[in-house]
Amino acid sequence: MQIWGILNVTPDSFSDGGRFDDPQRAIEQGLALAADGAQVIDVGGESTRPGAEAVSEAQETARVVPVLEGLHAAGIEADLSIDTRHAAVADAALRAGASIVNDVSGASDPAMLATVVEHGAGLVLMHMQGTPGTMQAAPTYEDVTAEVAAYLESRAAAAVTAGVDGARLWIDPGIGFGKTLEHNLTLLRDLEGFVRLGRPVLLGASRKAFLGTLTGQSDPSLRLAGSLACALRGLESGVDAVRVHDVRETRDMIEVFTQIR
Ligand code: PMM
């Protein structure tokens, strides 16, 4: 199972907002995540937490490009991913050294799939109900697992039709994006169903709010244990990668569990 390290270059992400909004510090953090064992560094310039401030595409691009260029110039061994919903940002990021687009909106920008194809990039399609501003208001599903899986299959089919390389096309159930606590737990319980869809699966649960609900830890940086429980569940279910803040701890957990097994 791969580890994708999270590098948010935003002033307001829920867990690490403001820590890496200086490009030099962000580059150092990206290199540290890679040294700790991340195979992919996922760079994001727009916070998607509920109620986050809107940023223009120009601002988002200006945040991520120097960091991607710096990591690339430093000869980082990890692959670089750009976490964006905007094709113009993805295009600039792919020119700056990224090779994967991580799109929490399932490639909703009409130009996104063509941009990914033009660069021969990898693509993550994530499920979200609603938009970041409204998604946690009242998430509803008849059958969350079936609906999320059907959405991901239809978006993946559209991506393949557009010419995206099927071997580099990831799906992600989108823990916390338009989901109640019960929806998140159901999706985590049903991960094998996503693995059976036959595409690489990425799981992102690190430090998310539902872990605070379950443990009483309101400070995201104190949600490591809950995050590791989710990563272990991902490992057990056969997902291909976990997207995490705490790379070294996750790597150690995977190493120990793998040796036991
Ligand atoms: N979660 C966040 C941002 N981007 N991308 C994918 N593919 N999956 C996720 O679960 C996901 C994501 C929100 O978390 P952050 O603010 O810590 O980056």
Side-chain angles (χ1 to χ4, degrees):
M1 184 170 76
Q2 285 187 353
I3 301 174
W4 291 30
I6 299 170
L7 185 55
N8 285 320
V9 288
T10 55
D12 60 344
S13 280
F14 76 93
S15 151
D16 45 9
R19 283 186 60 206
F20 307 117
D21 50 359
D22 164 51
Q24 202 47 48
R25 285 183 65 197
I27 292 164
E28 281 162 21
Q29 171 68 2
L31 293 171
L33 292 173
D36 281 348
Q39 284 91 353
V40 175
I41 306 298
D42 188 35
V43 178
E46 179 198 33
S47 172
T48 46
R49 76 177 164 79
E53 53 132 1
V55 290
S56 67
E57 291 183 4
Q59 266 176 304
E60 194 187 339
T61 303
R63 286 177 183 171
V64 297
V65 162
V67 176
L68 290 164
E69 284 177 347
L71 290 171
H72 196 59
I76 190 166
E77 291 211 4
D79 289 331
L80 300 177
S81 162
I82 173 68
D83 186 345
T84 188
R85 300 182 281 163
H86 304 116
V89 178
D91 183 60
L94 293 166
R95 290 179 199 285
S99 59
I100 303 168
V101 176
N102 172 25
D103 188 336
V104 299
S105 75
S108 62
D109 182 326
M112 185 59 94
L113 293 177
T115 301
V116 170
V117 172
E118 185 196 327
H119 289 276
L123 175 65
V124 180
L125 294 166
M126 197 199 79
H127 174 274
M128 162 165 57
Q129 186 178 89
T131 61
T134 60
M135 65 190 181
Q136 288 306 109
T140 28
Y141 303 84
E142 291 266 319
D143 178 335
V144 65
T145 301
E147 287 168 47
V148 172
Y151 168 85
L152 292 173
E153 282 200 292
S154 91
R155 293 307 297 150
V160 169
T161 302
V164 175
D165 179 358
R168 302 181 64 206
L169 183 53
W170 296 71
I171 54 172
D172 180 334
I175 300 296
F177 284 82
K179 279 105 184 172
T180 63
L181 170 62
E182 207 41 61
H183 296 141
N184 289 324
L185 292 174
T186 301
L187 290 169
L188 285 161
R189 221 169 268 141
D190 291 349
L191 284 174
E192 284 84 353
F194 292 94
V195 172
R196 278 196 297 271
L197 295 177
R199 299 201 177 275
V201 175
L202 174 65
L203 175 67
S206 184
R207 300 189 185 179
K208 285 190 176 171
F210 79 103
L211 299 173
T213 308
L214 290 172
T215 60
Q217 301 292 359
S218 54
D219 177 348
S221 71
L222 298 180
R223 296 179 189 154
L224 173 61
S227 304
L228 289 173
C230 294
L232 179 54
R233 173 69 194 119
L235 187 58
E236 174 189 63
S237 69
V239 307
D240 300 271
V242 283
R243 180 184 177 280
V244 302
H245 300 84
D246 302 288
V247 169
R248 190 169 39 80
E249 292 83 351
T250 305
R251 183 202 62 192
D252 288 355
M253 181 279 290
I254 294 170
E255 184 59 32
V256 172
F257 191 71
T258 305
Q259 292 294 334
I260 293 168
R261 220 167 30 173

